[in-house]
């Protein structure tokens, strides 16, 4: 499909048309429960090259392939060991990605030449309806320009991708707001390559001692000359234009006192006027729960950039449950 620079906006009832565009080699942005995805037919190497161009994504950062259901596994994976089936049974459909040995039908460009392919079955109704119309798997990274926060609503997806893709399916805001949990199986080990809404606690419970869960590389900066723990992790991620300071709850009041000016925004995990400080000049975003914070994070970062904020002070949540994923994104956004 030739890209004319014109992007069609489709409603959720028009997913059949979106599937047709994908079938013809086009690019379609669509909502999922995690973030908006930028999709192409995963069997079509040329279409997938279009994803890298639209996102300006480095070629060694592989794509997650989305399936309508486990029945499509044989199309994309050579094998799914019993442990993989246990995890898929428990967490699919949902914000869960698993890396399995790829089938020959998956082109090199999708996995950046790796033997494993990352697979996810999303639960969002619009995504499911779209995938159900496709008889092929859909490669879909987040629909943002590389390095920037992922879009979690139509407006953000439109701002990133209008004019760069053939269509955008206008769906609801994303329910989770953080990218999927990614796991890789290695014998009797389950490596968490990226934290997400499927938490370590949930994974441990599902594994019931069948395998050992390995630490994720949470928020660690990887030196450019060392192999990254997972492809893509050495790149800048999730970064707003404003400088973001990620601070522990105990340090938030001090950080705020140092940056009390009109250009500062404050992201805080509690209700009401925080810390008894006069915050009249500061844009304050408060969240009722870690899940709420996760859902709103990228939207807040975008809102801060739109207001021209120069500094964002973001309180780090406790290091458990979804808090681990949120801390990971905040620490990476802080650079
Ligand atoms: P995104 O689709 O933008 O959320 O990014 C997908 C991320 O998934 C990449 O940056 C990698 O870290 C990881 N990933 C995708 N495919 C693979 C793979 N085949 N092996 C290991 N990690 C992968
Ligand atoms: Mg991404």
């Amino acid at each position: 499909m030739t890209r004319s620079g014109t992007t069609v906006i489709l409603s959720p009832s028009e997913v059949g048309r979106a599937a047709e565009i994908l079938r013809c080699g086009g690019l379609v942005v669509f909502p999922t429960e995690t973030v908006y995805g930028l999709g192409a037919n995963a069997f079509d190497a040329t279409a997938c090259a279009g994803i890298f161009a639209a996102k300006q994504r480095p070629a060694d950062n592989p794509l997650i392939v989305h399936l309508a259901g486990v029945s499509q596994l044989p199309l994309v994976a050579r094998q799914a060991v019993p442990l993989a089936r246990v995890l898929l049974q428990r967490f699919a459909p949902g914000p869960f990605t698993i890396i399995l040995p790829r089938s020959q039908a998956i082109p090199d460009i999708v996995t950046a030449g790796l033997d494993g392919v990352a697979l996810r079955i999303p639960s969002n109704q619009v995504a499911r309806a779209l995938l159900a119309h496709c008889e092929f798997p859909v490669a879909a990274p987040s629909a943002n320009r590389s390095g920037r926060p992922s879009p979690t609503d139509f407006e953000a997806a439109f701002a990133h991708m209008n004019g760069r893709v053939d269509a955008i399916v206008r769906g609801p805001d994303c329910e989770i707001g953080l990218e999927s949990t990614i796991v890789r199986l290695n014998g009797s080990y389950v490596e968490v390559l990226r934290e997400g809404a499927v938490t370590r606690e949930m994974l441990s419970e599902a594994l019931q001692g069948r395998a050992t869960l390995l630490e994720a590389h949470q928020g660690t900066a990887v030196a450019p000359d060392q192999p990254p723990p997972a492809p893509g992790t050495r790149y800048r991620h999730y970064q707003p234009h404003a400088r973001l300071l990620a601070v522990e709850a105990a340090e938030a009041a001090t950080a705020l006192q140092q940056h009390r000016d009109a250009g500062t925004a404050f992201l805080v995990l509690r209700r009401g006027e925080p810390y008894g400080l006069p915050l009249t000049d500061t844009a304050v975003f408060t969240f009722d729960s870690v899940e709420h914070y996760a859902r709103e994070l990228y939207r807040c970062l975008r809102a801060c950039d739109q207001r021209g904020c120069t500094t964002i002070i973001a309180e780090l949540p406790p290091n458990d449950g979804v808090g681990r994923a949120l801390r990971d994104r905040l620490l990476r956004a802080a650079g």
Side-chain angles (χ1 to χ4, degrees):
M1 173 167 283
T2 49
R3 210 138 290 128
S4 61
T6 310
T7 298
V8 187
I9 308 302
L10 300 174
S11 73
S13 62
E14 295 174 293
V15 287
R17 208 173 139 200
E20 189 52 34
I21 293 171
L22 290 170
R23 190 172 295 115
C24 296
L27 297 180
V28 175
V29 170
F30 62 97
T32 83
E33 68 278 20
T34 57
V35 303
Y36 270 69
L38 164 56
N41 179 348
F43 290 155
D44 182 337
T46 309
C48 290
I51 292 180
F52 287 87
K55 276 183 67 83
Q56 296 166 311
R57 182 175 176 105
D60 61 354
N61 194 357
L63 308 176
I64 295 176
V65 171
H66 293 69
L67 307 176
V70 282
S71 62
Q72 285 186 328
L73 272 181
L75 293 178
V76 290
R78 289 198 302 280
Q79 54 164 317
V81 294
L83 193 54
R85 296 207 174 264
V86 167
L87 292 173
L88 284 165
Q89 170 89 33
R90 171 73 177 79
F91 300 116
F96 174 74
T97 298
I98 189 163
I99 296 168
L100 296 178
R102 69 163 149 155
S103 75
Q104 286 202 325
I106 296 291
D108 278 347
I109 190 167
V110 169
T111 67
L114 296 168
D115 184 52
V117 60
L119 301 172
R120 181 161 104 82
I121 301 167
S123 62
N124 173 279
Q125 290 306 319
V126 181
R128 284 181 75 80
L130 170 61
L131 293 166
H133 275 86
C134 302
E135 66 284 0
F136 47 85
V138 176
S142 49
N144 52 293
R145 305 284 192 93
S146 225
R148 294 283 161 221
S150 302
T152 52
D153 57 31
F154 167 77
E155 287 71 25
F158 181 84
H160 278 282
M161 288 298 155
N162 184 37
R164 298 179 158 258
V165 298
D166 300 291
I168 304 177
V169 183
R170 177 183 211 135
D173 296 352
C174 302
E175 304 101 285
I176 292 171
L178 296 181
E179 302 80 358
S180 60
T181 303
I182 304 178
V183 303
R184 181 165 59 193
L185 308 185
N186 190 354
S188 58
Y189 292 99
V190 175
E191 246 180 306
V192 182
L193 297 184
R194 181 171 72 189
E195 304 267 2
V198 169
T199 64
R200 295 178 63 82
E201 292 86 344
M202 291 159 69
L203 287 166
S204 292
E205 192 221 89
L207 290 171
Q208 293 188 327
R210 284 190 194 89
T212 309
L213 207 52
L214 290 184
E215 268 298 317
H217 300 268
Q218 197 176 26
T220 44
V222 178
D225 55 340
Q226 284 182 4
T233 47
R234 92 174 84 123
Y235 297 110
R236 291 161 68 93
H237 263 107
Y238 320 119
Q239 294 191 337
H241 292 291
R243 180 172 60 130
L244 189 139
L245 304 175
V247 297
E248 298 293 348
E251 299 154 9
T254 314
L256 258 182
Q257 249 156 350
Q258 283 166 355
H259 299 273
R260 258 163 52 194
D261 55 67
T264 302
F266 183 38
L267 275 51
V268 63
L269 182 60
R270 64 195 66 194
R271 287 170 195 274
E273 184 85 351
Y275 306 113
L277 291 172
L279 291 164
T280 43
D281 283 343
T282 307
V284 183
F285 297 88
T286 56
F287 310 105
D288 303 336
S289 64
V290 175
E291 287 75 14
H292 181 207
Y293 195 166
R295 186 160 63 243
E296 296 296 329
L297 173 65
Y298 294 142
R299 207 201 318 267
C300 287
L301 298 185
R302 202 167 112 78
C304 291
D305 279 345
Q306 284 172 334
R307 287 178 190 215
C309 291
T310 49
T311 307
I312 301 169
I313 298 171
E315 180 185 327
L316 288 161
N319 196 24
D320 55 25
V322 183
R324 291 178 66 95
L326 186 52
R327 286 178 72 93
D328 169 67
R329 305 311 191 274
L330 286 168
L331 290 168
R332 289 178 194 274

